[in-house]
Amino acid sequence: MEEELPPGTIRYSSKIVSIDHDDVGSDAKLVHLADGSVLRAKVLIGCDGVNSEVARWLGLAKPSYSGRLATRGLARYPDGGHGFAPEFLQFIGQGFRFGFVPCDEADVYWFYTWCPSQNDNGVSESAAKMKQHVLNKLRSSKVPAEALEMVERSDMSDAYAAPLRFRSPLSLLFSNISKGNVCVAGDALHPMTPDLGQGGCSALEDGVVLARCLGEAVLGESEAGTEKERIEAALRKYAGMRRWRSVSLVGTAYVVGFVQQIDNAIVSFLREKVLAGVLARSLLKMADYDCGTL
């Protein structure tokens, strides 16, 4: 994709530290980078992740900690394949979630999320401690031996415990997603827990909707007015189209993760006897979404 763009279009290692208005009377934004350079932006689209400086500038609430951690791994089976069917499997309850899905005949991706306790202190200090923590939890449950072997096979040299964070749906409802010629997309807009598997997918949805709105504005196919007015109207339209979708995704992901992982006798009974179908339908419903075409 980068090869399709003019050289120098993409700049790497360019962390944003602040955003200012242009002092020369234009509506451009001055984007100050960590290396001291300054970019002058006619339109600023913040895709700078969960710790987005652009989201902070817009007034969106700082992402909240969900009380859960996650680690991930990749198991390799170079000696004849793993034998798993091409389907997603997960094990829930007892305070953790463990799931995996084959990438191809030789590799299987797996994840493990849990609610930390005082006994987990030091787990993330090394890859060996993290791996042993996961294996101990799985051995204490009814996870099959194949799952244990998967973790044992994994190279976890770069494994760490990542805090799962999300943006408050109330902030998404009542704060600015766009302001003038500035907006946000992806994790900068809707950081969510990974329980729906829709984080990256929703970022692609943002891109399609935003490109369509901006394309109509730049080509003059939207409402009349100057280009500046059309662009600002396009960003407001994009924000309106993505607001409720973002609220729905973030809220559903949080609830699904909470219900699936909590280690509570009453909730466990309801989850297994009543809510299993509801949770499954929620996963499918969130994924079955048409954001339109370019």
Side-chain angles (χ1 to χ4, degrees):
M1 293 175 67
E2 182 183 11
E3 292 176 353
E4 299 297 321
L5 300 171
T9 300
I10 298 178
R11 297 177 51 152
Y12 296 95
S13 301
S14 301
K15 178 179 174 58
I16 299 176
V17 294
S18 65
I19 303 165
D20 292 323
H21 294 284
D22 195 343
D23 292 331
V24 297
S26 72
D27 294 297
K29 296 297 181 290
L30 299 180
V31 183
H32 299 264
L33 305 181
D35 62 4
S37 59
V38 179
L39 302 179
R40 189 171 180 271
K42 182 178 181 179
V43 179
L44 177 57
I45 302 169
C47 304
D48 47 339
V50 65
N51 296 313
S52 171
E53 181 65 23
V54 181
R56 188 194 66 78
W57 185 87
L58 286 170
L60 286 163
K62 184 179 179 180
S64 303
Y65 174 46
S66 68
R68 300 161 58 207
L69 299 174
T71 190
R72 303 164 177 89
L74 188 68
R76 300 188 180 279
Y77 296 78
D79 50 355
H82 46 69
F84 293 112
E87 56 189 16
F88 170 69
L89 295 175
Q90 72 169 342
F91 303 89
I92 59 177
Q94 300 185 39
F96 72 87
R97 292 177 66 226
F98 175 80
F100 63 88
V101 61
C103 303
D104 51 36
E105 291 299 323
D107 298 321
V108 179
Y109 164 80
W110 60 266
F111 67 87
Y112 171 84
T113 68
W114 79 103
C115 298
S117 65
Q118 292 182 347
N119 296 329
D120 293 338
N121 288 337
V123 164
S124 59
E125 292 178 354
S126 69
K129 288 184 178 181
M130 176 65 70
K131 190 173 189 175
Q132 194 57 49
H133 168 78
V134 175
L135 289 171
N136 289 342
K137 283 287 189 178
L138 297 183
R139 289 189 181 114
S140 66
S141 64
K142 298 180 180 180
V143 174
E146 293 85 352
L148 291 171
E149 181 191 2
M150 185 186 307
V151 177
E152 290 172 343
R153 279 178 172 266
S154 301
D155 176 14
M156 297 181 65
S157 58
D158 59 349
Y160 65 98
L164 300 182
R165 294 188 285 168
F166 67 101
R167 174 157 286 127
S168 165
L170 288 177
S171 178
L172 290 171
L173 273 178
F174 299 112
S175 299
N176 291 319
I177 294 175
S178 73
K179 183 191 297 182
N181 57 350
V182 180
C183 73
V184 283
D187 279 349
L189 169 59
H190 43 59
M192 65 187 78
T193 57
D195 304 286
L196 298 178
Q198 290 296 304
C201 300
S202 57
L204 293 174
E205 294 173 12
D206 294 340
V208 171
V209 175
L210 183 57
R212 186 169 64 239
C213 292
L214 280 177
E216 294 172 353
V218 172
L219 296 175
E221 297 175 358
S222 58
E223 59 189 74
T226 64
E227 184 182 57
K228 168 185 173 296
E229 292 170 338
R230 293 198 304 271
I231 287 176
E232 292 184 356
L235 296 186
R236 289 194 298 271
K237 179 180 179 182
Y238 156 78
M241 295 177 69
R242 297 305 295 164
R243 188 182 302 276
W244 281 105
R245 172 67 171 164
S246 299
V247 169
S248 178
L249 284 169
V250 173
T252 303
Y254 181 86
V255 171
V256 167
F258 174 82
V259 172
Q260 287 187 334
Q261 188 170 311
I262 190 171
D263 188 16
N264 175 278
I266 296 176
V267 176
S268 296
F269 174 81
L270 293 174
R271 178 181 62 223
E272 295 170 8
K273 303 299 182 181
V274 180
L275 298 176
V278 175
L279 295 175
R281 285 193 294 272
S282 296
L283 291 170
L284 295 174
K285 181 180 179 181
M286 289 296 104
D288 186 18
Y289 179 79
D290 185 1
C291 64
T293 62
L294 290 173

